[in-house]
Amino acid sequence: MMLNSELATAIMNSVDAGFDEQVALTAELVKFPSVRGAEHTAQDFVASALRERGLAVDRWRIDIDAIRHMPGFSPVHVEYDNAFNVVGSHRPRSAKGRSLILNGHIDVVPVGPLDMWTTPPFAPRIEDGWLYGRGGGDMKAGLAGCLAGIDALARLGYRPAADLHIQSVVEEECTGNGALACLERGYRADAALIPEPMWNQLIRAQVGVLWFQVRVRGVPVHVREARAGANAIEAAFPIIEALHGLEEAWNTRREHYPPYETVEHPINLNIGRIEGGDWPSSVPAWCVFDVRVAIYPGQEIAAAKREIEATIRDAARANRFLANNPPEIVYHGFEAEGYVLKDGEEAVALLGRAHRQVFGEALAEIATTGTTDARFFGLYAGIPALVYGPNADSIHGFDERVELESVRRCTQAMALFIAEWCGLEKV
Ligand code: ZN
């Protein structure tokens, strides 16, 4: 349907009318320390918020065995005891419009050293129009925005005239297995919208991501005879350097992977964690480090792994001990392919129109150097997945924050998009 301008204005005003409530809901969500393995209480809260809005709530624990055979699955070496997904579904009296999935992740990344935060990460505060706190930007503001979008319609006496599923998933920051479990559960729609913090832009393309762990061995001896041993920690340095060499080699290939040919440094490799050794006066017998690296959309995961393994093997060969005791490589976490949103999707045109109505300018598109759950909908279910959301700073850093004015406007655009895509029926 085409919204008349009177109704469009009413919807935008209705978002404004509920905005204080929306900010309060966002702050409530930020208070939950929903890091890996501790998302369940935040999910309980989301489930009740969905239920309060009259949505049918589906809440289930992710069953690894049910999804492990599916394309897009990422291997994990942890338990899913507390890994619950929550979906709230609205089903209209008669479905006239196109169905929609609104998807957000509830999991947040660890906070790092607390003394680097101005105020505690899970005690949200508002200052100069920004809401501070871990997960505020990535992406509890977006998740709360999904609820605020349907609240804005409800305030006017409307609800979507199509099936609408609001998904609050876990595991986005490490595997994507939460979104995958929603596919396994049977959720489908004509489009998906994920309000990740994207500076009011649309993601046209996203990279894939691989996580792997490198386990280096050494020979432990007393440090007084250090030369008779093999230092596993120091042996890791050249391997890390070689991996950064591979990163640069992949970056030089970007011309083969549109739309990344014009992106400055699309492939980033990060040594995100390292551990090793037992004692200052013992030559360390072990060192373990975790790596995150991007791959291009269209770059095959198996081929990328072969290159990673060859790089590590070659670097190890230069080490007297490692030459015969090559490091072990363990894949755990992200095995994510890249995803490019197809040209000419009607949903993109509608979101573009909604965005222009609110912001007064064209919707900009980006090729991001990160990944999102959009890939599951787009690659494995044929559902065009739009990632579009507010302006945030320092996500995964300290003093993470999200700009409230941007949240307000993105929510207006989302509400307009829901109304146009799904159509409306009177409550
Ligand atoms: Zn995110």
Short mmCIF file of all heavy atoms in Angstrom, two decimals, residues 105 107 137-139 172-173 196-198 371-372 395-396, ligand 1:
data_model
loop_
_atom_site.label_atom_id
_atom_site.label_comp_id
_atom_site.label_asym_id
_atom_site.label_seq_id
_atom_site.Cartn_x
_atom_site.Cartn_y
_atom_site.Cartn_z
N HIS A 105 19.71 -9.12 17.83
CA HIS A 105 20.38 -10.05 18.74
C HIS A 105 20.47 -9.42 20.12
O HIS A 105 20.67 -8.21 20.28
CB HIS A 105 21.76 -10.47 18.21
CG HIS A 105 22.77 -9.36 18.08
ND1 HIS A 105 23.57 -8.98 19.13
CD2 HIS A 105 23.14 -8.60 17.03
CE1 HIS A 105 24.39 -8.01 18.72
NE2 HIS A 105 24.15 -7.75 17.45
N ASP A 107 22.58 -10.80 22.48
CA ASP A 107 23.90 -11.03 23.06
C ASP A 107 24.80 -9.82 22.83
O ASP A 107 24.69 -9.13 21.83
CB ASP A 107 24.55 -12.31 22.51
CG ASP A 107 24.61 -12.36 20.99
OD1 ASP A 107 23.62 -11.97 20.33
OD2 ASP A 107 25.65 -12.77 20.43
N GLY A 137 24.13 0.26 21.59
CA GLY A 137 24.15 0.39 20.13
C GLY A 137 24.02 -0.96 19.45
O GLY A 137 23.22 -1.12 18.52
N ASP A 138 24.77 -1.91 19.90
CA ASP A 138 24.90 -3.22 19.24
C ASP A 138 24.28 -4.30 20.10
O ASP A 138 24.97 -4.95 20.84
CB ASP A 138 26.38 -3.48 18.98
CG ASP A 138 26.64 -4.73 18.17
OD1 ASP A 138 25.67 -5.28 17.62
OD2 ASP A 138 27.80 -5.16 18.08
N MET A 139 22.94 -4.55 19.96
CA MET A 139 22.00 -3.74 19.23
C MET A 139 20.66 -3.65 19.94
O MET A 139 19.61 -3.86 19.39
CB MET A 139 21.81 -4.31 17.81
CG MET A 139 21.31 -5.76 17.81
SD MET A 139 20.81 -6.31 16.13
CE MET A 139 19.27 -5.41 15.90
N GLU A 172 24.71 -14.08 18.05
CA GLU A 172 25.06 -13.35 16.84
C GLU A 172 26.54 -12.98 16.82
O GLU A 172 27.15 -12.91 15.78
CB GLU A 172 24.20 -12.09 16.73
CG GLU A 172 24.28 -11.39 15.37
CD GLU A 172 25.45 -10.43 15.22
OE1 GLU A 172 26.07 -10.04 16.25
OE2 GLU A 172 25.76 -10.04 14.08
N GLU A 173 27.08 -12.74 18.02
CA GLU A 173 28.45 -12.23 18.10
C GLU A 173 29.52 -13.31 17.97
O GLU A 173 30.71 -13.02 18.02
CB GLU A 173 28.65 -11.48 19.43
CG GLU A 173 27.77 -10.24 19.58
CD GLU A 173 28.26 -9.05 18.75
OE1 GLU A 173 29.23 -9.20 17.99
OE2 GLU A 173 27.64 -7.98 18.86
N GLU A 196 20.61 -3.26 13.05
CA GLU A 196 21.96 -3.14 13.61
C GLU A 196 22.40 -1.68 13.49
O GLU A 196 21.91 -0.94 12.62
CB GLU A 196 22.94 -4.01 12.81
CG GLU A 196 22.80 -5.50 13.04
CD GLU A 196 23.68 -6.02 14.18
OE1 GLU A 196 24.16 -5.21 15.00
OE2 GLU A 196 23.85 -7.26 14.24
N PRO A 197 23.35 -1.25 14.31
CA PRO A 197 23.79 0.16 14.26
C PRO A 197 24.59 0.42 12.98
O PRO A 197 25.75 0.04 12.89
CB PRO A 197 24.67 0.30 15.51
CG PRO A 197 25.17 -1.09 15.77
CD PRO A 197 24.06 -2.01 15.35
N MET A 198 23.96 1.06 12.02
CA MET A 198 24.58 1.24 10.71
C MET A 198 24.66 2.70 10.30
O MET A 198 24.71 3.02 9.12
CB MET A 198 23.80 0.45 9.65
CG MET A 198 24.11 -1.03 9.70
SD MET A 198 25.86 -1.31 9.39
CE MET A 198 26.22 -2.54 10.63
N THR A 371 30.17 -8.79 9.80
CA THR A 371 29.09 -9.68 9.40
C THR A 371 27.86 -9.40 10.25
O THR A 371 27.95 -8.73 11.30
CB THR A 371 29.48 -11.16 9.54
OG1 THR A 371 28.41 -11.98 9.06
CG2 THR A 371 29.75 -11.54 11.00
N THR A 372 26.70 -9.86 9.80
CA THR A 372 25.47 -9.80 10.60
C THR A 372 24.68 -11.09 10.33
O THR A 372 25.02 -11.86 9.41
CB THR A 372 24.55 -8.61 10.22
OG1 THR A 372 23.90 -8.92 8.98
CG2 THR A 372 25.32 -7.30 10.09
N ILE A 395 31.13 0.49 19.55
CA ILE A 395 30.58 -0.83 19.80
C ILE A 395 31.78 -1.78 19.90
O ILE A 395 32.78 -1.61 19.19
CB ILE A 395 29.58 -1.26 18.70
CG1 ILE A 395 30.24 -1.36 17.33
CG2 ILE A 395 28.40 -0.30 18.62
CD1 ILE A 395 29.34 -1.96 16.26
N HIS A 396 31.73 -2.71 20.78
CA HIS A 396 32.84 -3.62 21.12
C HIS A 396 33.98 -2.89 21.83
O HIS A 396 35.01 -3.49 22.12
CB HIS A 396 33.40 -4.37 19.89
CG HIS A 396 32.42 -5.32 19.26
ND1 HIS A 396 32.80 -6.55 18.77
CD2 HIS A 396 31.09 -5.24 19.06
CE1 HIS A 396 31.72 -7.16 18.27
NE2 HIS A 396 30.68 -6.38 18.43
ZN ZN B 1 25.36 -6.50 16.29
#
